[in-house]
Amino acid sequence: MSLGFGLTPYSKVREIIENWKPKTFDKEEQYEESLERELKKNLKDQEIDRQYTFDEQRADIVVHGEVPIELKRDIRTDQDVSDTIDQLDGYLKKWDRVFLVICGDIS
């Protein structure tokens, strides 16, 4: 399914994420806003939702209702990793794939 992307939706979103060069921000929300702007710039005809709510969960960004993106900033602890995995598992009940974009400190 191409949904007007030319490439598959996942391929085009992946390409945009790989080429996205955000500056360093203090908050995860600022990374979300920056990526949302980049997606809107490159996917002019696609619906892009921030804080997309479904089944009592919330994905940071979803493109065309089909491509979920979760951003994480400063993953530092085992609990951060565990929480992220649990969150992504929930997304995979709705979608076949999900993008995880990690920004900031990942020590």
Side-chain angles (χ1 to χ4, degrees), residues 46-104:
Q46 300 301 321
E47 181 179 347
I48 298 167
D49 295 304
R50 276 192 55 218
Q51 297 302 312
Y52 181 96
T53 303
F54 67 99
D55 299 336
E56 299 181 20
Q57 290 192 311
R58 189 173 311 164
D60 289 329
I61 300 173
V62 176
V63 178
H64 197 75
E66 298 289 327
V67 184
I69 304 167
E70 182 61 30
L71 283 94
K72 292 294 178 192
R73 180 184 170 273
D74 295 349
I75 292 183
R76 294 186 177 128
T77 67
D78 290 343
Q79 187 63 51
D80 291 339
V81 173
S82 179
D83 291 347
T84 299
I85 290 169
D86 289 345
Q87 195 172 12
L88 297 176
D89 282 344
Y91 295 178
L92 292 172
K93 292 176 182 167
K94 178 171 178 62
W95 295 290
D96 294 333
R97 297 180 251 184
V98 60
F99 284 104
L100 172 62
V101 180
I102 301 173
C103 307

Side-chain angles (χ1 to χ4, degrees), residues 26-32 60 70-73:
D26 294 327
K27 297 180 180 174
E28 184 177 307
E29 180 180 0
Q30 293 169 301
Y31 285 102
E32 287 176 33
D60 289 329
E70 182 61 30
L71 283 94
K72 292 294 178 192
R73 180 184 170 273

Side-chain angles (χ1 to χ4, degrees), residues 25-46:
F25 294 111
D26 294 327
K27 297 180 180 174
E28 184 177 307
E29 180 180 0
Q30 293 169 301
Y31 285 102
E32 287 176 33
E33 291 168 353
S34 174
L35 181 54
E36 177 187 30
R37 282 191 303 273
E38 189 69 16
L39 290 163
K40 285 183 174 182
K41 180 176 85 175
N42 287 283
L43 300 172
K44 292 178 176 37
D45 297 330
Q46 300 301 321

Side-chain angles (χ1 to χ4, degrees), residues 15-28:
E15 178 183 294
I16 293 166
I17 291 170
E18 287 176 346
N19 291 314
W20 175 55
K21 305 289 187 240
K23 65 181 188 175
T24 301
F25 294 111
D26 294 327
K27 297 180 180 174
E28 184 177 307

